[in-house]
Amino acid sequence: MRIHGNQLLYQIHGPFRYPATGEARARSRWPAALARLIDMLADWRKRHARHRQIRRATFELARFDDRMLADIGLTRLDIAAAASGIPLRERDLPAEPLQG
């Protein structure tokens, strides 16, 4: 296109828009950073709630005497693992002979 006479460039192509400045670009990153912060806080809250649940279960099992623990198949050494949900070792199960 040619500019004729007193015509200005913006009258032909429309107003020129400058690319986003550093400040505007930094502002556009806020939603993503805020979402990551919220995700981190939610993850921390879940881990904290799980930790409290494990501690509560550990304290409750620790209140049992040895006979009560034996009734449910635990020893004092198994309390922390049982409260955490870690599978206990397979003991007292008869070994099956190999077929073959």
Side-chain angles (χ1 to χ4, degrees):
M1 292 200 154
R2 287 181 71 179
I3 298 176
H4 300 285
N6 292 336
Q7 259 184 330
L8 299 175
L9 186 62
Y10 76 89
Q11 290 173 331
I12 297 171
H13 296 288
F16 179 74
R17 302 190 108 178
Y18 290 97
T21 63
E23 180 183 329
R25 263 185 258 136
R27 209 176 323 120
S28 67
R29 280 184 263 165
W30 271 102
L34 188 58
R36 283 193 307 270
L37 178 64
I38 290 171
D39 288 343
M40 285 175 33
L41 290 174
D43 185 48
W44 176 84
R45 186 171 180 250
K46 286 178 190 174
R47 285 182 296 158
H48 182 67
R50 176 74 175 136
H51 177 72
R52 286 181 48 208
Q53 181 183 22
I54 290 170
R55 283 187 55 154
R56 191 176 316 122
T58 302
F59 289 138
E60 288 296 318
L61 287 172
R63 291 176 53 193
F64 290 177
D65 62 4
D66 291 335
R67 177 178 271 163
M68 291 173 72
L69 288 173
D71 285 345
I72 59 175
L74 295 176
T75 65
R76 294 252 169 232
L77 297 175
D78 296 331
I79 289 176
S84 298
I86 298 172
L88 299 175
R89 61 190 176 277
E90 293 181 9
R91 59 175 184 223
D92 302 330
L93 295 178
E96 293 183 23
L98 295 174
Q99 302 293 328

